[in-house]
Amino acid sequence: MKTKKLSTQPYKGTRDFYPEDMRLRNWIFNTMRTTAQSFGYEEYDGPMLELFEMYAAKSGEELVNEQLYHFQDRGGRHVAIRPEMTPTVSRMVAARINTIPRPIRWFSIPNLWRYERPQKGRLREHWQFNVDVFGVDSVLADLEIIEIAIQIMLDLGGDFTDFRIHISNRKLLNDFMTRALELDESGKQAVCKTIDKKDKLQNDEFRRMLSQTGLTRDKIDSLIDFTRLDRAGLARHEMIATSGAVELESLFGKLKESELDRFCTLDLSIVRGLDYYTGTVFEMYDLHPDNRRALFGGGRYDNLVALFSNQPLSGVGFGMGDVTIQDFMITHQLIPVLPPPVEVFVALFDETCLGEVRDCARRIRRAGFRVIAQIEPVKLTKQYKFAHQKNIPVVVLQGPDERAGNTISLKQMISGEQKTVPESELNAAIRAWLRRM
Ligand code: HAM
């Protein structure tokens, strides 16, 4: 009886990473890793499963009610698959709050799960580069985090015409909503949620949704005018003396001193979807007309560690998703041509050479090359075809003639060039050829 074959498709909104996809993913994250390490940040990781209550506390209604994968484990605990890393890193920091020297500079590359409608830039499983610093209360930490975000974009090959960081401050928007819009906490949350969606809405739909939160027409106008202020406009606005505006001005001053201000712009419509942010918030935008969208974001959260510890500790950081970053790299033609994963193929002349082939491959590996040794005897033409299909640049062969003379033959697969060298010069010959490629 025929059994029905299972589907080869991965679960909706997730991806298989074939080796060529892994190579690109590793290149992107290793570039980010190197940048973060160059600023002295250290890598950490945590578990995929956390208690549900960790997200229920502060991650925000949309993430918790609509996007979280959660269930009861066999022991009756209510657990969730991590949708983001910030609660986990805050828990880990809180657990060692008295022993880790501060500031704490950490980064990680977790895979995260959110039940979202799969679409451009959004999947159900993604990998997210997280960079966070804990224990600095001033905007100088915000400055360092923004500098790292910019440096990563530059290290991926972007330049300042390709992206812009839009910066705002939660305290400022919050105070504006209290004073000018006279909103209570739930009203503010509803308005923030709507502003956060503005990129996806037409203007009249945006206004309609704001009116559904209870705002009058005048207040909607005043809110929209406020979110459109530039720095000069903010300087003339009555909110300029509030603590959020002072922080923003101070941050922009420091960005200018560090010559980073050309990568940044004030954008008071940035709120960020997560509830825990308390100060600076920012989103990185792609400037290309084909991909005008937010690439990643972050901000300051001064009371997340306090969920786990009696000692409060401020944090600031960002999360950068692999999906939007790859879209950015494709749009700007920044996907690199990566070096071949295998550099040398050691062909097998016949069954009598099995031992020699393995020895030879071992010697080449010891010199630092990545080497495949032919496993079983098959026709040489088939072996060369395999090396060609795998894009292996150099094939090495020792037949009876070469063996008799203690020499070895090499073939460069792209040019077809061949030569025979003494065994002792093999590694130098491979190195010279690979260097020329
Ligand atoms: P977030 O804005 O929810 O922030 O996510 C950060 C970034 O992760 C997004 O801008 C996007 O690049 C990527 N991302 C999020 N959801 C998806 C998805 N479903 N598919 C593909 N990419 C996605 C946070 O998660 C904060 N915890 C970041 C943070 C770290 N804040 C401070 N430190």
Side-chain angles (χ1 to χ4, degrees):
M1 199 181 70
K2 266 196 177 168
T3 49
K4 186 173 166 284
K5 295 292 170 225
L6 301 178
S7 169
T8 57
Q9 292 304 307
Y11 168 64
K12 191 172 178 194
T14 68
R15 290 159 291 171
D16 292 323
F17 287 88
Y18 286 87
E20 58 273 25
D21 310 315
M22 273 316 283
R23 278 208 293 285
L24 180 61
R25 194 175 100 193
N26 284 339
W27 183 87
I28 291 174
F29 283 132
N30 281 337
T31 302
M32 296 179 181
R33 179 182 271 122
T34 306
T35 312
Q37 285 170 339
S38 77
F39 282 80
Y41 284 63
E42 294 178 87
E43 189 160 3
Y44 68 94
D45 203 354
M48 280 273 287
L49 279 188
E50 293 276 12
L51 290 179
F52 172 84
E53 63 193 26
M54 252 174 59
Y55 306 105
K58 281 211 174 284
S59 287
E61 193 209 321
E62 187 185 22
L63 194 86
V64 176
N65 295 347
E66 294 166 27
Q67 299 179 347
L68 206 59
Y69 283 82
H70 61 105
F71 55 93
Q72 295 250 315
D73 75 4
R74 287 170 195 268
R77 294 168 208 90
H78 192 183
V79 291
I81 305 181
R82 60 185 179 192
E84 56 154 338
M85 201 59 176
T86 319
T88 298
V89 70
S90 300
R91 175 178 65 66
M92 288 169 64
V93 163
R96 301 210 175 159
I97 199 155
N98 291 319
T99 55
I100 314 176
R102 298 178 202 167
I104 301 166
R105 292 179 169 89
W106 282 1
F107 76 91
S108 71
I109 315 173
N111 55 334
L112 306 175
W113 287 79
R114 298 183 189 183
Y115 192 77
E116 295 207 53
R117 190 170 62 77
Q119 55 191 294
K120 187 167 166 37
R122 285 283 175 274
L123 292 174
R124 292 188 173 160
E125 184 191 36
H126 76 282
W127 272 255
Q128 196 190 77
F129 193 78
N130 277 252
V131 181
D132 290 272
V133 54
F134 292 87
V136 183
D137 291 336
S138 80
V139 293
L140 289 167
D142 313 24
L143 174 72
E144 176 162 299
I145 285 294
I146 288 173
E147 183 176 0
I148 296 172
I150 293 170
Q151 192 57 50
I152 288 177
M153 296 302 286
L154 297 175
D155 291 345
L156 290 173
D159 78 32
F160 95 103
T161 56
D162 298 334
F163 60 88
R164 199 65 84 244
I165 297 197
H166 291 218
I167 305 176
S168 185
N169 187 294
R170 269 276 177 95
K171 251 183 267 174
L172 173 58
L173 182 66
N174 207 38
D175 285 349
F176 175 80
M177 290 191 294
T178 311
R179 286 193 201 179
L181 308 184
E182 297 166 309
L183 288 170
D184 60 13
E185 283 314 307
S186 76
K188 285 184 204 169
Q189 266 194 10
V191 168
C192 276
K193 209 174 150 184
T194 310
I195 302 177
D196 194 41
K197 291 202 161 67
K198 70 168 187 325
D199 283 352
K200 297 176 199 137
L201 302 172
Q202 297 292 337
N203 197 26
D204 32 342
E205 201 182 348
F206 178 51
R207 293 186 71 98
R208 193 179 51 76
M209 282 179 70
L210 283 175
S211 72
Q212 281 170 357
T213 68
L215 287 183
T216 62
R217 223 180 147 141
D218 284 353
K219 285 184 173 160
I220 292 175
D221 288 340
S222 131
L223 172 66
I224 291 178
D225 288 348
F226 181 73
T227 58
R228 289 186 179 155
L229 289 176
D230 58 12
R231 283 184 65 206
L234 178 61
R236 289 191 300 270
H237 199 277
E238 60 186 2
M239 296 299 293
I240 191 63
T242 61
S243 62
V246 170
E247 270 179 30
L248 258 181
E249 266 311 294
S250 159
L251 177 59
F252 271 95
K254 308 266 182 262
L255 286 164
K256 189 168 172 49
E257 283 166 24
S258 316
E259 296 181 10
L260 295 171
D261 54 326
R262 67 199 174 113
F263 296 100
C264 305
T265 186
L266 177 78
D267 181 349
L268 297 181
S269 72
I270 297 296
V271 287
R272 309 263 309 126
L274 301 157
D275 282 354
Y276 46 70
Y277 294 112
T278 51
T280 302
V281 277
F282 64 88
E283 293 269 358
M284 178 74 81
Y285 274 81
D286 194 338
L287 294 181
H288 198 287
D290 296 348
N291 196 39
R292 275 202 182 276
R293 58 173 302 146
L295 298 172
F296 64 90
R300 171 171 283 276
Y301 47 98
D302 283 346
N303 43 29
L304 209 45
V305 175
L307 286 181
F308 307 94
S309 163
N310 289 329
Q311 299 177 47
L313 190 69
S314 60
V316 47
F318 64 83
M320 185 183 247
D322 62 337
V323 186
T324 45
I325 281 296
Q326 272 199 40
D327 286 346
F328 169 81
M329 294 179 70
I330 291 168
T331 307
H332 294 269
Q333 301 183 341
L334 297 173
I335 300 288
V337 178
L338 297 175
V342 180
E343 294 158 315
V344 183
F345 180 84
V346 184
L348 174 64
F349 188 79
D350 63 20
E351 207 167 345
T352 63
C353 306
L354 274 169
E356 275 95 343
V357 161
R358 305 253 303 273
D359 285 349
C360 176
R362 209 172 297 133
R363 278 200 307 277
I364 306 172
R365 275 185 209 116
R366 251 185 252 132
F369 300 109
R370 295 185 294 250
V371 185
I372 286 182
Q374 173 64 23
I375 293 182
E376 43 176 19
V378 293
K379 278 194 188 143
L380 274 174
T381 46
K382 236 179 155 181
Q383 297 183 42
Y384 278 95
K385 186 172 169 203
F386 173 79
H388 174 73
Q389 286 172 328
K390 298 277 299 172
N391 286 324
I392 304 175
V394 178
V395 175
V396 162
L397 176 69
Q398 194 173 42
D401 292 348
E402 286 100 340
R403 205 171 349 147
N406 291 331
T407 60
I408 199 150
S409 295
L410 297 88
K411 178 171 180 180
Q412 205 175 125
M413 295 301 280
I414 296 173
S415 65
E417 190 182 334
Q418 301 199 34
K419 67 176 167 186
T420 301
V421 298
E423 274 178 351
S424 58
E425 289 172 23
L426 175 64
N427 288 335
I430 294 172
R431 188 165 295 117
W433 266 2
L434 290 176
R435 208 179 293 133
R436 258 182 24 212
M437 281 179 49

